[in-house]
Amino acid sequence: GHVYVNNKKEKKLGNLVSIVKQENVMYMYLTPYEHLIFKSKLQGIFDLNIVKKIIKKLKIEKCQHTKIINISGGEKKRTAVAVELITKPDVLLLDEPTSGLDYVSSLKMLELLSELKKDGLIIVVNIHQPSWELIQFFNGVTFINQGSVVYSDDVNNIIEYFKDTGCVFPEYENPVDVILKFIMSKENNDLIKK
């Protein structure tokens, strides 16, 4: 097959897309600083100023000289994002960037991704069961059930859309949990868009 970006056939996706996997794929006995230098040299684009800017932007200055094996989960996730930013991608795909993080670290991660978005980076995130507060960081959201799209639209339209389909939102429950239960119930299989 062929890949088209802005109606132009792409021959090489090298720097176009970077992927941050759920599991940290890093050399745990390097420091974030060393790992970023290693990655940039491996890519043939070493520039110490870029490395320093990424370290600052990803807020890993305090741990930059600590071995990755000894830094926190949030710092590891931010380091993994930093490593993928070395190539200056147009699109950053993140597989569960909040997985394994506590609420505060998850919030910090999504705040950081929002900042990166302001630089023109397109960010696509796969996330499971976020809180209502965390989902507000996204422009759009897609709910999938049984491999089919149930909802794909602006975050601000979620409640209204699901209320119109019969979903009831109890006052003190996370709306995302309510929606997930609603779309997964067998009697609501007709919600799946075909």
Side-chain angles (χ1 to χ4, degrees):
H2 302 285
V3 175
Y4 291 86
V5 177
N6 294 329
N7 294 321
K8 292 180 186 172
K9 187 175 172 182
E10 285 291 323
K11 294 180 182 174
K12 188 172 132 183
L13 290 179
N15 295 349
L16 182 66
V17 178
S18 283
I19 300 171
V20 179
K21 297 179 180 180
Q22 178 181 357
E23 296 299 321
N24 295 318
V25 184
M26 295 181 282
Y27 293 104
M28 293 295 170
Y29 292 98
L30 292 178
T31 67
Y33 179 80
E34 293 166 338
H35 203 293
L36 287 167
I37 288 174
F38 172 73
K39 171 76 179 213
S40 64
K41 286 183 176 181
L42 192 64
Q43 294 289 325
I45 53 174
F46 176 69
D47 182 334
L48 193 55
N49 290 327
I50 291 174
V51 169
K52 288 178 179 179
K53 283 180 187 174
I54 291 173
I55 285 171
K56 186 174 182 176
K57 185 169 268 242
L58 275 288
K59 300 178 179 162
I60 53 175
E61 300 105 314
K62 289 181 183 176
C63 70
Q64 68 178 312
H65 298 297
T66 303
K67 291 190 184 315
I68 293 170
I69 198 165
N70 295 324
I71 62 178
S72 73
E75 291 166 334
K76 284 178 185 160
K77 295 276 186 181
R78 292 195 308 276
T79 299
V81 172
V83 167
E84 294 307 322
L85 292 179
I86 286 289
T87 59
K88 299 180 185 173
D90 295 320
V91 179
L92 185 64
L93 305 175
L94 297 103
D95 183 21
E96 298 190 48
T98 59
S99 180
L101 300 181
D102 61 42
Y103 182 76
V104 173
S105 296
S106 295
L107 194 61
K108 285 180 182 177
M109 173 58 79
L110 293 180
E111 286 171 349
L112 180 81
L113 293 175
S114 281
E115 287 300 311
L116 294 174
K117 184 174 66 172
K118 290 177 185 174
D119 294 338
L121 183 63
I122 297 168
I123 299 175
V124 179
V125 175
N126 166 24
I127 191 166
H128 294 270
Q129 293 181 295
S131 70
W132 185 248
E133 186 176 5
L134 293 181
I135 208 168
Q136 299 304 308
F137 282 96
F138 303 112
N139 294 342
V141 65
T142 300
F143 286 97
I144 298 173
N145 186 20
Q146 299 175 13
S148 298
V149 174
V150 175
Y151 176 88
S152 186
D153 199 356
D154 189 284
V155 169
N156 297 320
N157 300 332
I158 296 173
I159 300 280
E160 183 181 330
Y161 173 83
F162 281 101
K163 278 184 177 177
D164 289 347
T165 61
C167 185
V168 176
F169 292 88
E171 189 175 349
Y172 297 106
E173 278 193 56
N174 175 4
V176 178
D177 289 342
V178 173
I179 291 167
L180 291 174
K181 288 178 203 169
F182 181 73
I183 63 176
M184 291 175 58
S185 66
K186 288 182 180 172
E187 57 271 7
N188 290 317
N189 279 338
D190 60 329
L191 289 176
I192 296 173
K193 296 177 180 178
K194 300 189 179 186

